PDB file of all heavy atoms in Angstrom:
ATOM      1  N   LEU A 161      10.642   6.024  13.503  1.00  0.00           N
ATOM      2  CA  LEU A 161      10.995   5.171  12.358  1.00  0.00           C
ATOM      3  C   LEU A 161      12.252   5.667  11.647  1.00  0.00           C
ATOM      4  O   LEU A 161      13.026   4.861  11.126  1.00  0.00           O
ATOM      5  CB  LEU A 161       9.811   5.163  11.364  1.00  0.00           C
ATOM      6  CG  LEU A 161       9.908   4.130  10.232  1.00  0.00           C
ATOM      7  CD1 LEU A 161      10.213   2.739  10.747  1.00  0.00           C
ATOM      8  CD2 LEU A 161       8.589   4.119   9.414  1.00  0.00           C
ATOM      9  N   SER A 162      12.510   6.982  11.669  1.00  0.00           N
ATOM     10  CA  SER A 162      13.713   7.467  11.003  1.00  0.00           C
ATOM     11  C   SER A 162      14.960   6.950  11.695  1.00  0.00           C
ATOM     12  O   SER A 162      16.029   6.876  11.081  1.00  0.00           O
ATOM     13  CB  SER A 162      13.676   8.994  10.996  1.00  0.00           C
ATOM     14  OG  SER A 162      13.862   9.526  12.299  1.00  0.00           O
ATOM     15  N   SER A 163      14.821   6.585  12.970  1.00  0.00           N
ATOM     16  CA  SER A 163      16.005   6.048  13.674  1.00  0.00           C
ATOM     17  C   SER A 163      16.420   4.704  13.126  1.00  0.00           C
ATOM     18  O   SER A 163      17.569   4.232  13.365  1.00  0.00           O
ATOM     19  CB  SER A 163      15.680   5.910  15.203  1.00  0.00           C
ATOM     20  OG  SER A 163      14.698   4.939  15.415  1.00  0.00           O
ATOM     21  N   LYS A 164      15.551   4.048  12.370  1.00  0.00           N
ATOM     22  CA  LYS A 164      15.856   2.781  11.745  1.00  0.00           C
ATOM     23  C   LYS A 164      16.366   2.971  10.339  1.00  0.00           C
ATOM     24  O   LYS A 164      16.708   1.944   9.678  1.00  0.00           O
ATOM     25  CB  LYS A 164      14.609   1.897  11.690  1.00  0.00           C
ATOM     26  CG  LYS A 164      14.049   1.480  13.053  1.00  0.00           C
ATOM     27  CD  LYS A 164      12.756   0.689  12.868  1.00  0.00           C
ATOM     28  CE  LYS A 164      12.153   0.258  14.186  1.00  0.00           C
ATOM     29  NZ  LYS A 164      12.988  -0.805  14.811  1.00  0.00           N
ATOM     30  N   ALA A 165      16.411   4.171   9.847  1.00  0.00           N
ATOM     31  CA  ALA A 165      16.736   4.430   8.462  1.00  0.00           C
ATOM     32  C   ALA A 165      18.122   5.063   8.277  1.00  0.00           C
ATOM     33  O   ALA A 165      18.640   5.755   9.153  1.00  0.00           O
ATOM     34  CB  ALA A 165      15.688   5.345   7.814  1.00  0.00           C
ATOM     35  N   SER A 166      18.724   4.860   7.099  1.00  0.00           N
ATOM     36  CA  SER A 166      19.975   5.482   6.767  1.00  0.00           C
ATOM     37  C   SER A 166      19.707   6.845   6.108  1.00  0.00           C
ATOM     38  O   SER A 166      20.421   7.827   6.347  1.00  0.00           O
ATOM     39  CB  SER A 166      20.777   4.605   5.784  1.00  0.00           C
ATOM     40  OG  SER A 166      21.175   3.410   6.461  1.00  0.00           O
ATOM     41  N   PHE A 167      18.668   6.894   5.259  1.00  0.00           N
ATOM     42  CA  PHE A 167      18.265   8.109   4.572  1.00  0.00           C
ATOM     43  C   PHE A 167      16.773   8.334   4.709  1.00  0.00           C
ATOM     44  O   PHE A 167      15.999   7.363   4.705  1.00  0.00           O
ATOM     45  CB  PHE A 167      18.638   8.041   3.077  1.00  0.00           C
ATOM     46  CG  PHE A 167      20.125   7.985   2.831  1.00  0.00           C
ATOM     47  CD1 PHE A 167      20.828   6.800   2.883  1.00  0.00           C
ATOM     48  CD2 PHE A 167      20.840   9.160   2.583  1.00  0.00           C
ATOM     49  CE1 PHE A 167      22.173   6.743   2.643  1.00  0.00           C
ATOM     50  CE2 PHE A 167      22.212   9.124   2.377  1.00  0.00           C
ATOM     51  CZ  PHE A 167      22.898   7.889   2.408  1.00  0.00           C
ATOM     52  N   TRP A 168      16.362   9.581   4.814  1.00  0.00           N
ATOM     53  CA  TRP A 168      14.965   9.936   4.950  1.00  0.00           C
ATOM     54  C   TRP A 168      14.629  11.053   3.973  1.00  0.00           C
ATOM     55  O   TRP A 168      15.102  12.160   4.119  1.00  0.00           O
ATOM     56  CB  TRP A 168      14.690  10.376   6.376  1.00  0.00           C
ATOM     57  CG  TRP A 168      13.303  10.745   6.694  1.00  0.00           C
ATOM     58  CD1 TRP A 168      12.169  10.561   5.936  1.00  0.00           C
ATOM     59  CD2 TRP A 168      12.827  11.442   7.907  1.00  0.00           C
ATOM     60  NE1 TRP A 168      11.055  11.054   6.560  1.00  0.00           N
ATOM     61  CE2 TRP A 168      11.420  11.588   7.777  1.00  0.00           C
ATOM     62  CE3 TRP A 168      13.452  11.905   9.031  1.00  0.00           C
ATOM     63  CZ2 TRP A 168      10.682  12.226   8.739  1.00  0.00           C
ATOM     64  CZ3 TRP A 168      12.720  12.548   9.988  1.00  0.00           C
ATOM     65  CH2 TRP A 168      11.324  12.657   9.862  1.00  0.00           C
ATOM     66  N   ALA A 169      13.846  10.719   2.940  1.00  0.00           N
ATOM     67  CA  ALA A 169      13.448  11.711   1.897  1.00  0.00           C
ATOM     68  C   ALA A 169      11.993  12.079   2.144  1.00  0.00           C
ATOM     69  O   ALA A 169      11.138  11.216   2.317  1.00  0.00           O
ATOM     70  CB  ALA A 169      13.653  11.116   0.527  1.00  0.00           C
ATOM     71  N   HIS A 170      11.685  13.380   2.140  1.00  0.00           N
ATOM     72  CA  HIS A 170      10.339  13.858   2.435  1.00  0.00           C
ATOM     73  C   HIS A 170      10.127  15.187   1.689  1.00  0.00           C
ATOM     74  O   HIS A 170      11.070  15.749   1.092  1.00  0.00           O
ATOM     75  CB  HIS A 170      10.168  14.077   3.925  1.00  0.00           C
ATOM     76  CG  HIS A 170      11.293  14.811   4.565  1.00  0.00           C
ATOM     77  ND1 HIS A 170      11.423  16.174   4.488  1.00  0.00           N
ATOM     78  CD2 HIS A 170      12.398  14.376   5.233  1.00  0.00           C
ATOM     79  CE1 HIS A 170      12.543  16.560   5.145  1.00  0.00           C
ATOM     80  NE2 HIS A 170      13.163  15.479   5.575  1.00  0.00           N
ATOM     81  N   GLY A 171       8.880  15.636   1.678  1.00  0.00           N
ATOM     82  CA  GLY A 171       8.565  16.899   0.990  1.00  0.00           C
ATOM     83  C   GLY A 171       7.618  17.714   1.864  1.00  0.00           C
ATOM     84  O   GLY A 171       7.940  18.031   2.999  1.00  0.00           O
ATOM     85  N   HIS A 172       6.448  18.037   1.317  1.00  0.00           N
ATOM     86  CA  HIS A 172       5.350  18.719   2.005  1.00  0.00           C
ATOM     87  C   HIS A 172       5.641  20.216   2.208  1.00  0.00           C
ATOM     88  O   HIS A 172       4.780  21.082   1.858  1.00  0.00           O
ATOM     89  CB  HIS A 172       5.068  18.055   3.337  1.00  0.00           C
ATOM     90  CG  HIS A 172       3.805  18.523   4.010  1.00  0.00           C
ATOM     91  ND1 HIS A 172       2.581  18.520   3.368  1.00  0.00           N
ATOM     92  CD2 HIS A 172       3.536  18.995   5.282  1.00  0.00           C
ATOM     93  CE1 HIS A 172       1.643  18.975   4.220  1.00  0.00           C
ATOM     94  NE2 HIS A 172       2.197  19.304   5.331  1.00  0.00           N
ATOM     95  N   PHE A 173       6.792  20.560   2.745  1.00  0.00           N
ATOM     96  CA  PHE A 173       7.164  21.954   2.956  1.00  0.00           C
ATOM     97  C   PHE A 173       7.933  22.437   1.673  1.00  0.00           C
ATOM     98  O   PHE A 173       9.122  22.270   1.589  1.00  0.00           O
ATOM     99  CB  PHE A 173       8.003  22.092   4.204  1.00  0.00           C
ATOM    100  CG  PHE A 173       7.289  21.634   5.440  1.00  0.00           C
ATOM    101  CD1 PHE A 173       7.605  20.424   6.038  1.00  0.00           C
ATOM    102  CD2 PHE A 173       6.236  22.404   5.959  1.00  0.00           C
ATOM    103  CE1 PHE A 173       6.944  19.989   7.156  1.00  0.00           C
ATOM    104  CE2 PHE A 173       5.532  21.951   7.084  1.00  0.00           C
ATOM    105  CZ  PHE A 173       5.897  20.738   7.688  1.00  0.00           C
TER     106      PHE A 173
END
Side-chain angles (χ1 to χ4, degrees):
L161 190 51
S162 68
S163 67
K164 297 176 178 289
S166 295
F167 294 85
W168 180 13
H170 47 80
H172 192 53
F173 300 105

